[in-house]
Amino acid sequence: DVKVTQSSRYLVKRTGEKVFLECVQDMDHENMFWYRQDPGLGLRLIYFSYDVKMKEKGDIPEGYSVSREKKERFSLILESASTNQTSMYLCASGLVSSGNTIYFGEGSWLTVV
Amino acid sequence: EDQVTQSPEALRLQEGESSSLNCSYTVSGLRGLFWYRQDPGKGPEFLFTLYSAGEEKEKERLKATLTKKESFLHITAPKPEDSATYLCAVRDPNDYKLSFGAGTTVTVRA
């Protein structure tokens, strides 16, 4: 089975803090993604990576950055957390040759106070 | 820009009462339509991928079908454990990413 593991399920951070969300996949997938999910807004793509050290902005990249130094790991960074970044963050991975089906982790609930 | 619209927003069913969820899309050159199930507080769980009009896939009480403009997720004789939000997504033909609909929340009462 595909396993996408997000390091933290629940986090509470203060405004202005730097926040790291880590994601690891064990299926040698080329593509990895970070989404956020908010009530009424659905899933929105923040960033994605199609290969190691490669990244592209999604629909809502402002206030976020990412890092992909190894194929299995994709990190989302909030440089200076703000209250409007309180959300559920979902990491996903996929393989282009599989028709780009992507598999999600369990999610990280971030509250910024 | 791709548009994925799911209807209805919410569906309340009695156990055993079959129904269908709709996902309509406007992307041209579809390179995959995906269905996911999401339980409260959890990440989406992959169900099906459909690639071409006329294709059908089944898993237990769920059956997904695809036409040129929409997909249906049929739930046959649902049970309370089928209660979840069902998400539909399409793949941009020129990109790696998926665009998601807002989802249909299904509640099945015993």
Side-chain angles (χ1 to χ4, degrees), chain B residues 64-89:
Chain B
T65 61
L66 182 65
T67 72
K68 286 186 177 180
K69 293 292 183 185
E70 58 191 349
S71 177
F72 293 94
L73 184 66
H74 308 277
I75 310 178
T76 302
K79 297 182 177 182
E81 53 262 43
D82 295 321
S83 298
T85 296
Y86 291 87
L87 299 169
C88 167

PDB file of all heavy atoms in Angstrom, chain B residues 64-89:
ATOM      1  N   ALA B  64     -18.333   3.928 -10.394  1.00  0.00           N
ATOM      2  CA  ALA B  64     -18.076   5.206 -11.037  1.00  0.00           C
ATOM      3  C   ALA B  64     -18.174   5.038 -12.545  1.00  0.00           C
ATOM      4  O   ALA B  64     -17.683   4.054 -13.104  1.00  0.00           O
ATOM      5  CB  ALA B  64     -16.699   5.727 -10.661  1.00  0.00           C
ATOM      6  N   THR B  65     -18.828   6.019 -13.185  1.00  0.00           N
ATOM      7  CA  THR B  65     -18.967   6.010 -14.632  1.00  0.00           C
ATOM      8  C   THR B  65     -18.534   7.362 -15.174  1.00  0.00           C
ATOM      9  O   THR B  65     -18.516   8.366 -14.448  1.00  0.00           O
ATOM     10  CB  THR B  65     -20.423   5.723 -15.054  1.00  0.00           C
ATOM     11  OG1 THR B  65     -21.270   6.766 -14.536  1.00  0.00           O
ATOM     12  CG2 THR B  65     -20.895   4.388 -14.513  1.00  0.00           C
ATOM     13  N   LEU B  66     -18.180   7.383 -16.471  1.00  0.00           N
ATOM     14  CA  LEU B  66     -17.664   8.602 -17.076  1.00  0.00           C
ATOM     15  C   LEU B  66     -18.289   8.818 -18.449  1.00  0.00           C
ATOM     16  O   LEU B  66     -18.380   7.888 -19.259  1.00  0.00           O
ATOM     17  CB  LEU B  66     -16.144   8.516 -17.213  1.00  0.00           C
ATOM     18  CG  LEU B  66     -15.421   9.730 -17.796  1.00  0.00           C
ATOM     19  CD1 LEU B  66     -15.549  10.938 -16.883  1.00  0.00           C
ATOM     20  CD2 LEU B  66     -13.948   9.403 -18.057  1.00  0.00           C
ATOM     21  N   THR B  67     -18.741  10.072 -18.690  1.00  0.00           N
ATOM     22  CA  THR B  67     -19.145  10.493 -20.022  1.00  0.00           C
ATOM     23  C   THR B  67     -18.208  11.617 -20.451  1.00  0.00           C
ATOM     24  O   THR B  67     -17.259  11.944 -19.739  1.00  0.00           O
ATOM     25  CB  THR B  67     -20.601  10.999 -20.044  1.00  0.00           C
ATOM     26  OG1 THR B  67     -20.650  12.275 -19.377  1.00  0.00           O
ATOM     27  CG2 THR B  67     -21.535  10.014 -19.355  1.00  0.00           C
ATOM     28  N   LYS B  68     -18.500  12.238 -21.585  1.00  0.00           N
ATOM     29  CA  LYS B  68     -17.595  13.288 -22.075  1.00  0.00           C
ATOM     30  C   LYS B  68     -17.658  14.559 -21.242  1.00  0.00           C
ATOM     31  O   LYS B  68     -16.749  15.386 -21.301  1.00  0.00           O
ATOM     32  CB  LYS B  68     -17.930  13.612 -23.530  1.00  0.00           C
ATOM     33  CG  LYS B  68     -17.476  12.525 -24.490  1.00  0.00           C
ATOM     34  CD  LYS B  68     -17.679  12.936 -25.942  1.00  0.00           C
ATOM     35  CE  LYS B  68     -17.157  11.851 -26.876  1.00  0.00           C
ATOM     36  NZ  LYS B  68     -17.342  12.222 -28.297  1.00  0.00           N
ATOM     37  N   LYS B  69     -18.725  14.721 -20.467  1.00  0.00           N
ATOM     38  CA  LYS B  69     -18.879  15.962 -19.717  1.00  0.00           C
ATOM     39  C   LYS B  69     -19.015  15.773 -18.218  1.00  0.00           C
ATOM     40  O   LYS B  69     -18.953  16.739 -17.465  1.00  0.00           O
ATOM     41  CB  LYS B  69     -20.118  16.721 -20.222  1.00  0.00           C
ATOM     42  CG  LYS B  69     -19.990  17.233 -21.636  1.00  0.00           C
ATOM     43  CD  LYS B  69     -18.948  18.330 -21.727  1.00  0.00           C
ATOM     44  CE  LYS B  69     -18.876  18.905 -23.134  1.00  0.00           C
ATOM     45  NZ  LYS B  69     -17.775  19.893 -23.257  1.00  0.00           N
ATOM     46  N   GLU B  70     -19.251  14.520 -17.789  1.00  0.00           N
ATOM     47  CA  GLU B  70     -19.501  14.320 -16.363  1.00  0.00           C
ATOM     48  C   GLU B  70     -19.218  12.894 -15.933  1.00  0.00           C
ATOM     49  O   GLU B  70     -19.073  11.988 -16.759  1.00  0.00           O
ATOM     50  CB  GLU B  70     -20.950  14.699 -16.018  1.00  0.00           C
ATOM     51  CG  GLU B  70     -22.010  13.937 -16.776  1.00  0.00           C
ATOM     52  CD  GLU B  70     -23.398  14.525 -16.606  1.00  0.00           C
ATOM     53  OE1 GLU B  70     -23.609  15.399 -15.742  1.00  0.00           O
ATOM     54  OE2 GLU B  70     -24.291  14.104 -17.352  1.00  0.00           O
ATOM     55  N   SER B  71     -19.148  12.753 -14.634  1.00  0.00           N
ATOM     56  CA  SER B  71     -18.972  11.431 -14.044  1.00  0.00           C
ATOM     57  C   SER B  71     -20.017  11.269 -12.949  1.00  0.00           C
ATOM     58  O   SER B  71     -20.432  12.247 -12.308  1.00  0.00           O
ATOM     59  CB  SER B  71     -17.571  11.298 -13.445  1.00  0.00           C
ATOM     60  OG  SER B  71     -17.412  10.050 -12.804  1.00  0.00           O
ATOM     61  N   PHE B  72     -20.428  10.017 -12.752  1.00  0.00           N
ATOM     62  CA  PHE B  72     -21.367   9.704 -11.688  1.00  0.00           C
ATOM     63  C   PHE B  72     -20.730   8.686 -10.754  1.00  0.00           C
ATOM     64  O   PHE B  72     -20.038   7.762 -11.193  1.00  0.00           O
ATOM     65  CB  PHE B  72     -22.668   9.126 -12.260  1.00  0.00           C
ATOM     66  CG  PHE B  72     -23.463  10.122 -13.060  1.00  0.00           C
ATOM     67  CD1 PHE B  72     -23.304  10.203 -14.440  1.00  0.00           C
ATOM     68  CD2 PHE B  72     -24.353  10.969 -12.444  1.00  0.00           C
ATOM     69  CE1 PHE B  72     -24.034  11.118 -15.180  1.00  0.00           C
ATOM     70  CE2 PHE B  72     -25.087  11.893 -13.174  1.00  0.00           C
ATOM     71  CZ  PHE B  72     -24.922  11.968 -14.545  1.00  0.00           C
ATOM     72  N   LEU B  73     -21.007   8.876  -9.473  1.00  0.00           N
ATOM     73  CA  LEU B  73     -20.635   7.871  -8.486  1.00  0.00           C
ATOM     74  C   LEU B  73     -21.939   7.312  -7.924  1.00  0.00           C
ATOM     75  O   LEU B  73     -22.694   8.020  -7.257  1.00  0.00           O
ATOM     76  CB  LEU B  73     -19.791   8.483  -7.373  1.00  0.00           C
ATOM     77  CG  LEU B  73     -19.260   7.493  -6.332  1.00  0.00           C
ATOM     78  CD1 LEU B  73     -18.263   6.526  -6.978  1.00  0.00           C
ATOM     79  CD2 LEU B  73     -18.583   8.225  -5.170  1.00  0.00           C
ATOM     80  N   HIS B  74     -22.197   6.050  -8.265  1.00  0.00           N
ATOM     81  CA  HIS B  74     -23.430   5.403  -7.832  1.00  0.00           C
ATOM     82  C   HIS B  74     -23.150   4.644  -6.536  1.00  0.00           C
ATOM     83  O   HIS B  74     -22.178   3.887  -6.452  1.00  0.00           O
ATOM     84  CB  HIS B  74     -23.921   4.433  -8.912  1.00  0.00           C
ATOM     85  CG  HIS B  74     -24.029   5.050 -10.272  1.00  0.00           C
ATOM     86  ND1 HIS B  74     -25.130   5.789 -10.685  1.00  0.00           N
ATOM     87  CD2 HIS B  74     -23.151   5.050 -11.313  1.00  0.00           C
ATOM     88  CE1 HIS B  74     -24.936   6.209 -11.912  1.00  0.00           C
ATOM     89  NE2 HIS B  74     -23.753   5.784 -12.327  1.00  0.00           N
ATOM     90  N   ILE B  75     -24.028   4.842  -5.563  1.00  0.00           N
ATOM     91  CA  ILE B  75     -23.914   4.102  -4.309  1.00  0.00           C
ATOM     92  C   ILE B  75     -25.127   3.172  -4.229  1.00  0.00           C
ATOM     93  O   ILE B  75     -26.277   3.638  -4.146  1.00  0.00           O
ATOM     94  CB  ILE B  75     -23.874   5.035  -3.085  1.00  0.00           C
ATOM     95  CG1 ILE B  75     -22.841   6.147  -3.284  1.00  0.00           C
ATOM     96  CG2 ILE B  75     -23.564   4.237  -1.831  1.00  0.00           C
ATOM     97  CD1 ILE B  75     -22.783   7.141  -2.140  1.00  0.00           C
ATOM     98  N   THR B  76     -24.849   1.887  -4.258  1.00  0.00           N
ATOM     99  CA  THR B  76     -25.918   0.886  -4.267  1.00  0.00           C
ATOM    100  C   THR B  76     -26.114   0.324  -2.861  1.00  0.00           C
ATOM    101  O   THR B  76     -25.147  -0.123  -2.235  1.00  0.00           O
ATOM    102  CB  THR B  76     -25.584  -0.250  -5.241  1.00  0.00           C
ATOM    103  OG1 THR B  76     -25.390   0.306  -6.542  1.00  0.00           O
ATOM    104  CG2 THR B  76     -26.705  -1.274  -5.285  1.00  0.00           C
ATOM    105  N   ALA B  77     -27.363   0.365  -2.397  1.00  0.00           N
ATOM    106  CA  ALA B  77     -27.714  -0.165  -1.070  1.00  0.00           C
ATOM    107  C   ALA B  77     -26.719   0.296  -0.013  1.00  0.00           C
ATOM    108  O   ALA B  77     -26.041  -0.536   0.624  1.00  0.00           O
ATOM    109  CB  ALA B  77     -27.814  -1.688  -1.116  1.00  0.00           C
ATOM    110  N   PRO B  78     -26.591   1.600   0.182  1.00  0.00           N
ATOM    111  CA  PRO B  78     -25.561   2.109   1.093  1.00  0.00           C
ATOM    112  C   PRO B  78     -25.775   1.678   2.536  1.00  0.00           C
ATOM    113  O   PRO B  78     -26.894   1.428   2.984  1.00  0.00           O
ATOM    114  CB  PRO B  78     -25.689   3.629   0.949  1.00  0.00           C
ATOM    115  CG  PRO B  78     -27.088   3.858   0.517  1.00  0.00           C
ATOM    116  CD  PRO B  78     -27.429   2.694  -0.360  1.00  0.00           C
ATOM    117  N   LYS B  79     -24.649   1.640   3.246  1.00  0.00           N
ATOM    118  CA  LYS B  79     -24.636   1.350   4.677  1.00  0.00           C
ATOM    119  C   LYS B  79     -24.118   2.584   5.414  1.00  0.00           C
ATOM    120  O   LYS B  79     -23.475   3.442   4.807  1.00  0.00           O
ATOM    121  CB  LYS B  79     -23.741   0.151   4.960  1.00  0.00           C
ATOM    122  CG  LYS B  79     -24.219  -1.138   4.302  1.00  0.00           C
ATOM    123  CD  LYS B  79     -23.317  -2.292   4.675  1.00  0.00           C
ATOM    124  CE  LYS B  79     -23.850  -3.597   4.058  1.00  0.00           C
ATOM    125  NZ  LYS B  79     -23.007  -4.764   4.440  1.00  0.00           N
ATOM    126  N   PRO B  80     -24.370   2.667   6.716  1.00  0.00           N
ATOM    127  CA  PRO B  80     -23.883   3.839   7.466  1.00  0.00           C
ATOM    128  C   PRO B  80     -22.388   4.086   7.301  1.00  0.00           C
ATOM    129  O   PRO B  80     -21.944   5.238   7.303  1.00  0.00           O
ATOM    130  CB  PRO B  80     -24.240   3.484   8.918  1.00  0.00           C
ATOM    131  CG  PRO B  80     -25.463   2.639   8.798  1.00  0.00           C
ATOM    132  CD  PRO B  80     -25.244   1.815   7.547  1.00  0.00           C
ATOM    133  N   GLU B  81     -21.607   3.029   7.123  1.00  0.00           N
ATOM    134  CA  GLU B  81     -20.168   3.217   6.963  1.00  0.00           C
ATOM    135  C   GLU B  81     -19.786   3.855   5.633  1.00  0.00           C
ATOM    136  O   GLU B  81     -18.617   4.216   5.424  1.00  0.00           O
ATOM    137  CB  GLU B  81     -19.412   1.895   7.140  1.00  0.00           C
ATOM    138  CG  GLU B  81     -19.913   0.751   6.277  1.00  0.00           C
ATOM    139  CD  GLU B  81     -20.850  -0.171   7.041  1.00  0.00           C
ATOM    140  OE1 GLU B  81     -21.725   0.340   7.789  1.00  0.00           O
ATOM    141  OE2 GLU B  81     -20.722  -1.401   6.876  1.00  0.00           O
ATOM    142  N   ASP B  82     -20.729   4.028   4.738  1.00  0.00           N
ATOM    143  CA  ASP B  82     -20.481   4.753   3.489  1.00  0.00           C
ATOM    144  C   ASP B  82     -20.603   6.262   3.678  1.00  0.00           C
ATOM    145  O   ASP B  82     -20.346   7.032   2.751  1.00  0.00           O
ATOM    146  CB  ASP B  82     -21.461   4.303   2.400  1.00  0.00           C
ATOM    147  CG  ASP B  82     -21.256   2.857   2.008  1.00  0.00           C
ATOM    148  OD1 ASP B  82     -20.084   2.416   1.933  1.00  0.00           O
ATOM    149  OD2 ASP B  82     -22.264   2.149   1.787  1.00  0.00           O
ATOM    150  N   SER B  83     -20.997   6.687   4.862  1.00  0.00           N
ATOM    151  CA  SER B  83     -21.078   8.116   5.157  1.00  0.00           C
ATOM    152  C   SER B  83     -19.695   8.744   5.074  1.00  0.00           C
ATOM    153  O   SER B  83     -18.753   8.273   5.730  1.00  0.00           O
ATOM    154  CB  SER B  83     -21.663   8.345   6.561  1.00  0.00           C
ATOM    155  OG  SER B  83     -22.980   7.849   6.639  1.00  0.00           O
ATOM    156  N   ALA B  84     -19.556   9.777   4.268  1.00  0.00           N
ATOM    157  CA  ALA B  84     -18.264  10.441   4.052  1.00  0.00           C
ATOM    158  C   ALA B  84     -18.496  11.590   3.073  1.00  0.00           C
ATOM    159  O   ALA B  84     -19.583  11.744   2.522  1.00  0.00           O
ATOM    160  CB  ALA B  84     -17.233   9.473   3.471  1.00  0.00           C
ATOM    161  N   THR B  85     -17.447  12.341   2.834  1.00  0.00           N
ATOM    162  CA  THR B  85     -17.465  13.308   1.738  1.00  0.00           C
ATOM    163  C   THR B  85     -16.752  12.695   0.556  1.00  0.00           C
ATOM    164  O   THR B  85     -15.656  12.155   0.691  1.00  0.00           O
ATOM    165  CB  THR B  85     -16.776  14.620   2.152  1.00  0.00           C
ATOM    166  OG1 THR B  85     -17.519  15.226   3.213  1.00  0.00           O
ATOM    167  CG2 THR B  85     -16.711  15.591   0.978  1.00  0.00           C
ATOM    168  N   TYR B  86     -17.381  12.763  -0.596  1.00  0.00           N
ATOM    169  CA  TYR B  86     -16.816  12.191  -1.816  1.00  0.00           C
ATOM    170  C   TYR B  86     -16.352  13.339  -2.714  1.00  0.00           C
ATOM    171  O   TYR B  86     -17.118  14.243  -3.046  1.00  0.00           O
ATOM    172  CB  TYR B  86     -17.851  11.315  -2.515  1.00  0.00           C
ATOM    173  CG  TYR B  86     -18.147  10.067  -1.717  1.00  0.00           C
ATOM    174  CD1 TYR B  86     -19.118  10.067  -0.721  1.00  0.00           C
ATOM    175  CD2 TYR B  86     -17.409   8.900  -1.923  1.00  0.00           C
ATOM    176  CE1 TYR B  86     -19.368   8.924   0.046  1.00  0.00           C
ATOM    177  CE2 TYR B  86     -17.652   7.757  -1.169  1.00  0.00           C
ATOM    178  CZ  TYR B  86     -18.633   7.781  -0.183  1.00  0.00           C
ATOM    179  OH  TYR B  86     -18.859   6.655   0.573  1.00  0.00           O
ATOM    180  N   LEU B  87     -15.079  13.268  -3.065  1.00  0.00           N
ATOM    181  CA  LEU B  87     -14.444  14.323  -3.854  1.00  0.00           C
ATOM    182  C   LEU B  87     -14.145  13.826  -5.260  1.00  0.00           C
ATOM    183  O   LEU B  87     -13.722  12.688  -5.448  1.00  0.00           O
ATOM    184  CB  LEU B  87     -13.124  14.752  -3.200  1.00  0.00           C
ATOM    185  CG  LEU B  87     -13.211  15.331  -1.793  1.00  0.00           C
ATOM    186  CD1 LEU B  87     -11.811  15.452  -1.192  1.00  0.00           C
ATOM    187  CD2 LEU B  87     -13.878  16.682  -1.809  1.00  0.00           C
ATOM    188  N   CYS B  88     -14.343  14.719  -6.205  1.00  0.00           N
ATOM    189  CA  CYS B  88     -14.024  14.451  -7.598  1.00  0.00           C
ATOM    190  C   CYS B  88     -12.905  15.395  -8.018  1.00  0.00           C
ATOM    191  O   CYS B  88     -12.857  16.552  -7.565  1.00  0.00           O
ATOM    192  CB  CYS B  88     -15.288  14.685  -8.423  1.00  0.00           C
ATOM    193  SG  CYS B  88     -15.078  14.761 -10.196  1.00  0.00           S
ATOM    194  N   ALA B  89     -12.003  14.931  -8.855  1.00  0.00           N
ATOM    195  CA  ALA B  89     -10.908  15.779  -9.336  1.00  0.00           C
ATOM    196  C   ALA B  89     -10.595  15.433 -10.777  1.00  0.00           C
ATOM    197  O   ALA B  89     -10.783  14.290 -11.215  1.00  0.00           O
ATOM    198  CB  ALA B  89      -9.664  15.592  -8.466  1.00  0.00           C
TER     199      ALA B  89
END
